[in-house]
Amino acid sequence: MGNTTGFASYFKLSNVNWPDMGSATWETIWMTVVSIIVVAILGALLGLLLFETSSSNSILVKILNWVVAAFVNVFRSIPFIILIVLLLPATQVIMGTIIGPSAALPSLIISAAPFYARLVELAFHEIDHGVIEAAEAMGATRWQIIFKVLLPESMPALVSGITVTSISLIGYTAMAGAIGAGGLGNLAYLDGFQASNNAVTLVATVIIVLIVFVFQYLGDFAVKHIDKR
């Protein structure tokens, strides 16, 4: 393989196994997209639950709010690499394996959903309360308020939030790869770092950065077309 040190080693592209790089890129995109879909749904539900239970005078509802908030705060606070290890037994039961892209999904979802839930709750709280009161005065049901006021009014913030979350997820997939979850992180660690192949590490890094740029562009594009203000 020749000299593996120095700046020149980063540009020995002949050392890169391009089919493996392509497979790893697909695995990273697959993990990210599947996680985003589940996180968007689960995070929106948790955020809505936090918002709807935040101003109730009922003891039972306050307890529910406290339980959900505790869940969100706890899992939002655990460093991702520790969460992966913590969830290994559960991952084995749920996914049937602790190796490969699918094995990373539980950790990715459980780490990102609470983060997005807080963004959703914040987006709902930023809606002008007068708009909600006007809908209530016109006899709208709670479900009508959710689907015709809360979600449409907060949609730019929700899309912006899922964009930020998706970029965090891309970074999480790289960390998950370091312990066998596949993807570009796994390739950069095994074929790059451990094999002293700097070209693989550099190419994997560049591809991850490009994926981040694409997700950021798509998110910004969507927000620009949704936000009518």
Side-chain angles (χ1 to χ4, degrees):
M1 193 175 287
N3 182 26
T4 58
T5 61
F7 286 115
S9 64
Y10 285 103
F11 303 102
K12 291 184 177 179
L13 299 183
S14 58
N15 292 339
V16 178
N17 185 319
W18 293 105
D20 285 354
M21 189 66 70
S23 298
T25 301
W26 166 247
E27 287 175 351
T28 294
I29 293 172
W30 181 84
M31 284 188 284
T32 304
V33 171
V34 173
S35 298
I36 288 171
I37 293 170
V38 180
V39 165
I41 297 169
L42 184 57
L45 291 174
L46 288 172
L48 179 62
L49 191 58
L50 286 169
F51 175 78
E52 288 293 318
T53 58
S54 61
S55 57
S56 175
N57 293 321
S58 169
I59 297 296
L60 291 177
V61 175
K62 285 183 177 180
I63 292 173
L64 176 61
N65 179 268
W66 184 88
V67 170
V68 175
F71 169 82
V72 166
N73 291 336
V74 167
F75 282 97
R76 202 169 52 129
S77 304
I78 301 173
F80 181 69
I81 198 71
I82 296 176
L83 184 64
I84 295 176
V85 177
L86 185 67
L87 293 177
L88 282 179
T91 300
Q92 177 69 55
V93 172
I94 297 169
M95 308 303 296
T97 181
I98 57 172
I99 297 173
S102 60
L105 293 179
S107 299
L108 291 170
I109 292 165
I110 291 175
S111 66
F115 173 75
Y116 184 56
R118 283 299 186 190
L119 296 180
V120 171
E121 182 193 16
L122 182 62
F124 289 158
H125 278 297
E126 287 180 347
I127 297 173
D128 185 359
H129 197 66
V131 177
I132 298 174
E133 289 178 342
E136 289 174 341
M138 289 188 288
T141 65
R142 199 62 211 172
W143 287 110
Q144 288 175 326
I145 291 172
I146 290 170
F147 287 106
K148 294 185 178 181
V149 178
L150 288 180
L151 291 176
E153 289 290 323
S154 63
M155 192 56 67
L158 296 181
V159 173
S160 179
I162 201 63
T163 302
V164 171
T165 305
S166 67
I167 290 170
S168 296
L169 279 169
I170 294 168
Y172 290 164
T173 64
M175 281 189 275
I179 62 167
L184 290 166
N186 184 253
L187 191 72
Y189 181 70
L190 293 180
D191 293 9
F193 173 71
Q194 289 197 337
S196 298
N197 191 340
N198 291 334
V200 169
T201 305
L202 178 64
V203 172
T205 302
V206 170
I207 293 174
I208 288 173
V209 170
L210 290 175
I211 292 172
V212 168
F213 282 172
V214 169
F215 274 85
Q216 185 67 62
Y217 172 79
L218 292 175
D220 292 344
F221 180 83
V223 169
K224 196 174 294 183
H225 282 73
I226 292 170
D227 195 349
K228 304 301 181 183
R229 290 173 295 181

